[in-house]
Amino acid sequence: MAAEIAAVAKAVRPLGTTEAARAAGFSPVFGWIPTMGEHWVNRPAMRNKPTDMLAPDNLMFSRIGGRDSLVGAAYAYYAPANDSARPPIFGGAPAWHEHANLAPPGQSLVMLHVWFVPSPDGPFAGTNPNLPFWAAGLDAPDATRMRDRAFASRVRRAALALAEVADTTAIFANLERRPAVHEAIAPRRDSIRAIVPELRQAQRARDTARIDALTERLATQWDAMFATYRSAAITPDGRRRIDDFIAMLMSDHGDHAH
């Protein structure tokens, strides 16, 4: 599949800037999603099941090295809720994932991501926790350790902490506008900003113990922020939506359904 992914990356290389993507008929939706990047969508192309591997209808951009970079592509279409057949556009039949909440009643938005950048969960994973690290000007975590559940949990939570300072509108911007929530979140963001240069220095020194300790501090900050957001929900349904959104951002399964 590596050759197929390389072929897709080559096919969309001319669309490697947001200006080129817009000129080709793509437009951004949802803003930057911390572990998925910003999706630029060619809406007319999403009307039918994709058949051409070299013509993805989604492009994914995220900030790396201070500039928006094309980090992947995606294929998407709306399918009846009872339709489980998926287009075999890649060899090996990688797992597609679904977003039922983004589709009309009785349908589901079916998607397949393909990453052009390193992804610890594989090139077709639904999410990539490296993105917030790069957006914050840091190196990606050690992918060889992601099989360790404790390490992976720490990294994914730290990624969301970093997302809170890389783009303060990326997660729960509406909730954060509430004065009480903002007062609780703002000092957490300040603490995260202070940790970033320390972590960058530890990465440069290849000090694994220090990296782990700082990543844990980031994860702890996120845990507190998540608790703040969750407590701000007025109804059980509101808490469920918060839980579902964060579960989506932290998912390590390409076939995770939402």
Side-chain angles (χ1 to χ4, degrees), residues 72-139:
Y75 308 81
Y77 67 98
Y78 294 103
N82 60 356
D83 180 2
S84 60
R86 301 293 177 249
I89 58 175
F90 281 91
W96 295 64
H97 60 277
E98 299 182 25
H99 298 278
N101 59 318
L102 299 179
Q107 293 186 306
S108 185
L109 176 61
V110 182
M111 297 192 71
L112 177 66
H113 289 164
V114 54
W115 298 102
F116 305 150
V117 294
S119 167
D121 303 316
F124 298 103
T127 59
N128 188 338
N130 290 345
L131 300 185
F133 284 84
W134 289 325
L138 296 163
D139 294 335

Side-chain angles (χ1 to χ4, degrees), residues 120-122 142-153 155-156 252:
D121 303 316
D142 185 352
T144 64
R145 300 176 63 194
M146 289 295 283
R147 293 181 181 178
D148 180 287
R149 293 180 67 87
F151 179 84
S153 173
V155 163
R156 296 180 200 286
D252 60 345

